[in-house]
Amino acid sequence: MNATASSADSAPAAAGPDLAALRVAVIGAGNMGGPVARTMLAAGVRPEHLQIANTSAESSRRAAEELGATAADSRDEALANADVVVLGVKPYQVLDLAAELQAQLPAGAVVISLAAGITLAQLEQALPEGSPVVRAMPNTPISVGEGAVGLMRGGAVTDQQHRLVHALFACAGVAVDITEEQVHAFIGAAGSLAGFAFAIIEAMTEEAVRQGLQRDLADSLVQQTMRGAATMLLESGVHPAVAKAGVCSPGGTTAEGYAAFEREGVRAGLAATMAAAAQKSRDMTRD
Ligand SMILES: NC(=O)c1ccc[n+]([C@@H]2O[C@H](COP(=O)([O-])OP(=O)(O)OC[C@H]3O[C@@H](n4cnc5c(N)ncnc54)[C@H](OP(=O)(O)O)[C@@H]3O)[C@@H](O)[C@H]2O)c1
């Protein structure tokens, strides 16, 4: 994937766009819109400038309280003077929402859609002509600064607006520019991968318990070891196959376990899991 990391792409926060003055409206702060709001706050957007509008005032209030942002009384209030509008609703809702924004969207506001399978062309057609639109494909670990987000840039987005969007995701973990063709592979490798990682960690923890460990000890051993393995690779740049060979002593426990890993088809199962997510993304885009 020929992607560009935001750290290499955008100036450091101090020299970058002034996020403290920026006004952001998040329309739909749910499972994904919430973490996106959280990472934007971490990047420097002020809580009083980040307005949440969900389906009801009560839902907006609950989400805003949890995120440390501001609940809007209405969508109109959230949109008034917004410089950036995040569309965090479900994919089947996003084009209707975009069409409804025709009359409400402040001129020049950058629209960031989180919706899987809805293309830049579809969004640009639904929004006022010439709207700057970015598709963002995040995963939930962005809420702890250890996630990934793939950014797809619409035709009307200026270089300055592109830098602004990267600055908003500067605390997400890694933010990379991808194409709409790459987004399917990105979903397998990052967007949906967080869910697969949770499932893998859960399965490993259950086996550790079956082997006799207390559940809380199993939780911390598995989670810490998975995090440590990823951190070692990230920090050293060593290829995972080389790192694996380094811990497989001849006739040892890891080599024996690894033989079962291959025999039981774990590698093929993981590949099929990621391929299924990528294919679903392609199918959703064709619909
Ligand atoms: N979940 C993921 O891991 C993930 C990853 C990448 C991308 N995405 C994308 O993120 C988007 C949201 O998915 P999600 O999982 O976060 O869904 P979700 O948890 O159901 O959140 C959707 C949010 O949209 C709000 N909403 C619905 N209709 C609205 C309307 N007309 N006006 C204002 N707010 C409205 C809901 O408000 P209420 O709370 O009041 O109902 C809810 O807060 C999707 O497009 C999905 O493709 C999700």
Side-chain angles (χ1 to χ4, degrees):
M1 194 176 288
N2 182 23
T4 315
S6 68
S7 52
D9 218 45
S10 60
D18 180 11
L19 299 186
L22 196 79
R23 290 177 183 275
V24 177
V26 178
I27 315 296
N31 289 323
M32 203 63 252
V36 165
R38 207 181 285 282
T39 201
M40 290 181 174
L41 290 166
V45 176
R46 291 192 177 185
E48 63 271 29
H49 290 171
L50 195 147
Q51 301 239 346
I52 307 277
N54 281 355
T55 50
S56 67
E58 175 55 22
S59 169
S60 306
R61 192 193 55 72
R62 241 182 293 119
E65 213 170 271
E66 193 186 321
L67 296 164
T70 304
D73 285 335
S74 65
R75 190 196 298 166
D76 282 7
E77 184 186 298
L79 289 170
N81 307 317
D83 303 299
V84 172
V85 178
V86 177
L87 306 182
V89 300
K90 291 288 189 192
Y92 74 90
Q93 298 173 302
V94 76
L95 291 177
D96 287 342
L97 175 61
E100 286 167 30
L101 295 184
Q102 282 272 355
Q104 298 172 311
L105 198 66
V110 179
V111 178
I112 301 178
S113 167
L114 309 182
I118 305 298
T119 64
L120 287 167
Q122 289 172 302
L123 291 159
E124 283 165 350
Q125 199 176 3
L127 287 161
E129 201 178 340
S131 294
V133 188
V134 172
R135 284 182 65 192
M137 182 50 59
N139 59 18
T140 52
I142 67 168
S143 59
V144 292
E146 295 286 354
V149 55
L151 297 170
M152 292 151 274
R153 177 178 175 173
V157 176
T158 65
D159 288 348
Q160 193 182 1
Q161 289 166 333
H162 182 237
R163 279 194 295 277
L164 172 68
V165 173
H166 269 276
L168 284 167
F169 285 104
C171 294
V174 64
V176 295
D177 291 320
I178 59 171
T179 66
E180 289 192 290
E181 185 46 43
Q182 289 172 321
V183 74
H184 313 300
F186 184 92
I187 282 175
S192 294
L193 190 71
F196 308 148
F198 297 141
I200 291 165
I201 288 169
E202 187 220 354
M204 290 175 160
T205 306
E206 288 306 315
E207 183 56 23
V209 170
R210 198 172 77 90
Q211 294 292 332
L213 292 183
Q214 296 293 328
R215 186 165 290 279
D216 55 351
L217 181 58
D219 279 335
S220 66
L221 291 178
V222 171
Q223 289 168 27
Q224 178 60 38
T225 303
M226 294 298 275
R227 176 165 70 179
T231 303
M232 268 180 71
L233 295 177
L234 276 169
E235 290 186 357
S236 67
V238 168
H239 191 285
V242 174
K244 183 200 73 192
V247 293
C248 281
S249 313
T253 57
T254 311
E256 195 63 27
Y258 180 65
F261 177 99
E262 291 294 0
R263 199 170 53 241
E264 297 294 330
V266 179
R267 180 188 295 268
L270 293 173
T273 302
M274 292 171 66
Q279 187 54 45
K280 180 68 181 174
S281 170
R282 288 188 187 94
D283 294 346
M284 283 170 70
T285 306
R286 271 201 287 273
D287 283 345

